[in-house]
Amino acid sequence: MSQGTAVEAVAIPPQQRRLRMRLRRLDGKVSPYLYISPFFLLFAVFGLFPLAYTGWVSLTDRNLLDPTTHFVGLDNYTALLHDSYFWNAVENTLGIFVISTVPQLFLALVLAHVLNTKLHGRTLFRMAVLLPQITSLVAVALIFTQLFSRDYGLINYVLDHVGIGKVDWEAGDYTSWIALSVMVIWRWTGYNALIYLAAMQAIPDELYEAAAIDGARPWRQFWHVTIPNLRPTIIFTVIVSTIGGLQLFTEPYLFEPDHYGATGGSARQYQTVVMYLYEKSFGSSQFKLGYASAIGWALFMLIAVISLVNFLIIRRIRSAD
Amino acid sequence: MVPTVDRLPVARPRRRRQLSRRFHQAGPGTYIFLIVVAAASAFPLYWSFVVASHDNSAVSEYPPVLTPGGQLWHNIGRLFNSGEVNVDFWAALTNSLIVATTVSFAVVMFSALAGFAFAKLEFRGSRMLLLAVVATMLVPVQLGVIPLYIEMKDFGWTNSLQAVIAPFLVSAFGVFLMRQYIVGAVPNELIDASRVDGCHTLRIFWHVVLPAVRPIAAVLGLLTFMTTWNDFFWPLIVLSPQNPTVQVAVSSLASGYVEDFALVLTGTFISILPLLFVFVVLGRQIIGGIMQGAVKG
């Protein structure tokens, strides 16, 4: 910092001083807006405008292959309501979401509880648990697709060995859902466990001391002190998982052997909503941007509704005890 | 706009707490459970390395090979030989490095600047504007991919790196994280003193605020780098396989007519390696950042 400035200020002529004063006042008034403007400008251009524009495009028959665009009102939405592929995608998305999120968050809670003890190699275990999180979705999808492959996959080898026999994971409805859920669970459990762990460590000691005086054993302490105090965090993770889970794309997209069409298997057994959006827009060169935008808005509504339902359910549990 | 980073809720620097008596001693069962979980976490990555270090024929061997082989360099050679694979893997790695570095740097700088304004400068509407920043975190901007694509086409940016850089230069989470940190980490007296010395606000930012936010800037930069490096959906839409990021390149390795698992998983392994390296060196900080981000102030 310039310590000399104050001294200089005394020495310089009055007009210049007044100019400086004015500059400083201007600095104080304008600078804050200048500093926050990059965020708002870029968000407006690349975030808000596209989102609003989706609404408009969804009311047109815009197609990249067709230079003319017509306003079609709600036609895309009515077509969507009668589109069995769309409802199939919704069903798949919700199914995969449920069987991946419920075990994942439960396991994360247990893991956090276990990590919240006096441990040797604490940092090492935490790092191991977080390792899947730094792995890209593409890598997760490709590695697990290999592990789940019908003929040479390691998982089928083990199943065959213990007498269950080989499973054609990709071809079946529920088997493909299970395989995809395993990928999601693998990648996100550790991350959620660390979030829970952080929240557990913020619970005041007095609550545990009081419970211990009342004679509560560790397991009862977990149910009656830890879980209730974790509820805001649980709500947060459930909502974040909802937003992420309902937008599942990369894993099912790469699970398909010939994945350019994004159809999610030969019988569309694991096509998700975002995959369907991709199929209609870029995937199979249909370029139906108007229709795909309608899918986007429908998904937005779906996410909002499911988040709200989840929120209400978890709040209900809280008021129950 | 940066998924992993946006997943983190409110943050505030927190004093480390001493382990108290409620942290009961871990028994052998705990260790067994944790070791199983750790092994399950690490195994798929190890497996990708095993497959990458063998000939493709090893994939179909029975029983499966579980130890690394000697073909890793050979496979890497094939990966970077553009005559043999359908992508330019060097270009992909370089592109990803450029994109992730630019985005991380911009996010940190813009977040620190805006965070400084929100934390320490007085201006009309600051509360409302901060609320607006937080509100933008709830908007699922990913759903705007189609208009964003149209926008990029109008700009003439499709197939070029601007398209995957520009939309991610700012992050609401970053602004908020910085704001929370600066409130506690930069004493008001220091800022007042620099004002008396005649510093203008940009100078204060540069000489007082930036040095103070270094720890949180490192965490934010790392998390942003990882998210950007791993991003797939948007690059897949807006870039062509001729000028891809590393994720797009790896995914197109997997779409060849013959399933060459050794090659696919070599590409996969190479794409994870930089982040794995960063994670091994700075894992403690990354975990600290995620856990700090998780605790509401």
Side-chain angles (χ1 to χ4, degrees), chain A residues 112-131:
Chain A
H113 182 63
V114 168
L115 282 170
N116 198 19
T117 48
K118 273 184 197 158
L119 271 179
H120 292 290
R122 227 158 36 112
T123 308
L124 206 64
F125 279 123
R126 286 182 188 177
M127 277 177 74
V129 158
L130 201 65
L131 199 55

Side-chain angles (χ1 to χ4, degrees), chain B residues 90-158:
Chain B
W90 266 125
L93 281 175
T94 320
N95 281 346
S96 278
L97 192 67
I98 294 170
V99 172
T101 312
T102 315
V103 168
S104 315
F105 185 74
V107 163
V108 168
M109 289 309 282
F110 285 144
S111 299
L113 205 53
F116 165 54
F118 280 125
K120 296 292 173 185
L121 301 178
E122 279 167 25
F123 56 101
R124 198 170 294 175
S126 66
R127 269 162 176 263
M128 281 299 292
L129 288 167
L130 183 63
L131 206 66
V133 172
V134 176
T136 64
M137 282 197 255
L138 299 173
V139 181
V141 277
Q142 298 91 317
L143 298 183
V145 282
I146 284 159
L148 196 58
Y149 180 82
I150 298 173
E151 206 175 287
M152 292 300 166
K153 234 177 142 53
D154 291 343
F155 290 173
W157 284 4
T158 46

